[in-house]
Amino acid sequence: MIREINFDGLVGPSHNYAGLSPGNLAASANAGLASRPRDAALEGIAKMRANLALGLAQGILLPHRRPNRGWIESLSTTLATAEPWMRASALSASAMWAANAATVSPAADTANGLCHLTVANLMTMPHRSHEWPETLAQLRIAFAGEGFAVHGPVPTPFGDEGAANHMRLAPTHNAPGVEIFVHGVGGGGFPVRQHAEAGRAVARAHGLDPDRTLHVAQSEIAIAAGAFHNDVVAVADGLTVFAHEQAFADRDGFYAALRSLLPEVAIVEVPAAAVSLKDAVSSYLFNAQLVTLPEGDQALILPAEAQENPNVWTWLQTMIAGNGPIRRLELVDVRQSMRNGGGPACLRLRVVCDPATVDPRFMIDGAKLDMIAELVRLYWPEQISIADLDDPALWARAETARAALFESLGLRELI
Ligand code: SUG
């Protein structure tokens, strides 16, 4: 049966706060803090468990080889002698944010009837630019079945950050949908990470119908306020778009184009007068997972921070009391990831397909989560301070932890 599967990135054992992403306000504000990799991974596991309990299908993407010695060597330096930012980049656990792993077009939208995935090149931030080869290796195993087409990255200099800048609307998972690619034009002093050319290249690679595909610009003020990806200010599921009033450069033009393609669309817009961009970015209201539950209602899976912001929480209470399509709120605690600017939606990649066609080593149930949690408790460091990043003992520990995980999951070929 065709379903939506959320593939969550498991937080890796080297999770740290190095402040590597200009424009990501949380990551910059928390640079230099001590991180708690074990807690971070367990928070992510608890989120996956909660999603399973809601009746959602759950998969997993796995931590990358860190430190990435090959990347450091390709820069003709070594871990011991590299500049601190470069060493931190080799150690970053940023592959946990699976919404940046790839862009996915379900089979119902594509010319050849395959589910297409294009790995994101993540070229704008050095610490993320070396993720794609290993992400691609995992995707090629997980989606090796004949119903999938897995593509390599869009070439540089066209920045592509994957599903975080992509929305799909469709009446059901196996009906043709409308796909929306959101790019930046100006960043108000911050880098634009998603380029228009990248979205167009992905749409062509996936064989999308140009008449059912939109390419829209993110507003510069949203990027300047810290929305370094569209999923910080907008999210979509089914026939619902949930967005901030100031998310898009040409809001009226976008809504009109969308309504003409999909007259039944529901646009749940949050006015800036009720929730400012600042509140939206600090609470990650829009970085919720918007999901359709098995019983048919839509739910928002929100970070706990959304409850702590009075403007956001008041708005949500009013929305729920009304008659809109989103009927339920679920809170999850992913604070360790949030401190690096990654909310519930950043942590997952949605793939619409039959779960039986996915390599089972990438599918998750309660028992497998128990096993992974056990390994996390055993091997993941409790705490990492910035000074620890210089310590060869930490590098070895991160490598041992990952190897133990891959061994247990039967994925030796990826160690
Ligand atoms: O790319 N943070 C990530 C957060 C990604 C969030 N993803 C989505 N919005 N979908 C980023 O900026 C911080 C790492 C550091 O500073 O150490 C970081 O990479």
Side-chain angles (χ1 to χ4, degrees):
M1 192 185 67
I2 303 278
R3 299 186 68 183
E4 176 178 278
I5 310 170
N6 286 290
F7 287 84
D8 275 50
L10 179 68
V11 180
S14 66
H15 161 64
N16 69 85
Y17 298 124
L20 297 172
S21 278
N24 173 340
L25 302 185
S28 301
N30 293 313
L33 276 190
S35 63
R36 301 190 65 80
R38 194 180 301 168
D39 290 348
L42 293 173
E43 285 171 3
I45 289 170
K47 169 165 107 71
M48 290 187 243
R49 255 190 238 287
N51 278 5
L52 284 171
L54 289 173
L56 304 172
Q58 187 66 50
I60 196 164
L61 289 172
L62 299 163
H64 289 192
R65 216 172 282 122
R66 294 290 178 268
N68 188 343
R69 295 175 190 270
W71 181 70
I72 278 284
E73 278 158 25
S74 74
L75 289 159
S76 305
T77 181
T78 64
L79 279 173
T81 54
E83 290 176 63
W85 71 267
M86 200 177 271
R87 184 163 43 243
S89 297
L91 276 154
S92 177
S94 53
M96 70 169 88
W97 297 297
N100 305 119
T103 305
V104 185
S105 295
D109 296 353
T110 71
N112 64 2
L114 300 179
C115 173
H116 286 252
L117 299 95
T118 293
V119 72
N121 65 28
L122 291 165
M123 55 151 265
T124 307
M125 299 291 158
H127 69 288
R128 305 213 62 180
S129 68
H130 58 97
E131 285 176 31
W132 74 260
E134 196 166 335
T135 301
L136 185 58
Q138 292 190 29
L139 296 178
R140 286 209 196 281
I141 294 177
F143 305 106
E146 55 189 22
F148 299 97
V150 179
H151 303 271
V154 171
T156 56
F158 308 118
D160 178 21
E161 306 252 334
N165 297 299
H166 175 254
M167 300 186 285
R168 174 178 191 256
L169 293 153
T172 63
H173 290 316
N174 40 17
V178 171
E179 297 203 16
I180 303 153
F181 292 80
V182 186
H183 59 268
V185 177
F190 290 135
V192 163
R193 293 169 64 163
Q194 182 73 33
H195 299 176
E197 294 79 1
R200 293 186 191 282
V202 172
R204 286 191 293 271
H206 292 192
L208 300 182
D209 178 352
D211 293 336
R212 299 183 66 79
T213 306
L214 296 175
H215 296 274
V216 303
Q218 209 184 342
S219 74
E220 183 160 353
I221 54 167
I223 300 178
F228 53 94
H229 291 136
N230 174 63
D231 70 1
V232 176
V233 280
V235 61
D237 169 68
L239 292 169
T240 306
V241 178
F242 176 51
H244 191 271
E245 181 186 0
Q246 294 166 315
F248 305 105
D250 175 15
R251 160 188 179 271
D252 296 345
F254 167 46
Y255 290 175
L258 186 55
R259 287 195 174 106
S260 77
L261 290 176
L262 208 61
E264 64 274 47
V265 69
I267 300 175
V268 180
E269 186 184 78
V270 182
V275 174
S276 64
L277 276 174
K278 189 167 184 265
D279 282 337
V281 170
S282 65
S283 67
Y284 263 36
L285 164 62
F286 298 96
N287 203 260
Q289 289 179 244
L290 178 57
V291 295
T292 301
L293 300 173
E295 53 272 27
D297 282 347
Q298 280 182 312
L300 265 183
I301 302 172
L302 293 150
E305 284 79 350
Q307 193 174 27
E308 290 156 17
N309 180 308
N311 295 338
V312 167
W313 195 243
T314 303
W315 189 87
L316 283 167
Q317 295 307 308
T318 312
M319 178 198 68
I320 282 294
N323 229 348
I326 304 171
R327 305 298 332 141
R328 192 165 156 181
L329 305 178
E330 296 287 327
L331 291 168
V332 290
D333 179 355
V334 288
R335 284 178 202 279
Q336 283 288 317
S337 169
M338 284 285 285
R339 284 189 193 130
N340 251 340
C346 299
L347 285 162
R348 61 90 179 95
L349 181 70
R350 291 181 280 189
V351 182
V352 171
C353 67
D354 181 349
T357 64
V358 177
D359 186 309
R361 292 172 293 180
F362 290 87
M363 292 301 300
I364 280 293
D365 59 15
K368 201 184 270 189
L369 283 179
D370 290 344
M371 186 271 277
I372 295 173
E374 201 48 49
L375 291 172
V376 165
R377 286 195 196 92
L378 213 54
Y379 289 102
W380 266 235
E382 210 174 334
Q383 182 167 308
I384 296 182
S385 70
I386 286 299
D388 294 334
L389 299 181
D390 302 345
D391 184 355
L394 174 74
W395 310 341
R397 185 159 184 194
E399 287 169 329
T400 306
R402 180 177 176 280
L405 173 73
F406 279 61
E407 193 81 54
S408 302
L409 292 172
L411 281 163
R412 295 191 81 164
E413 67 261 50
L414 283 172
I415 293 180

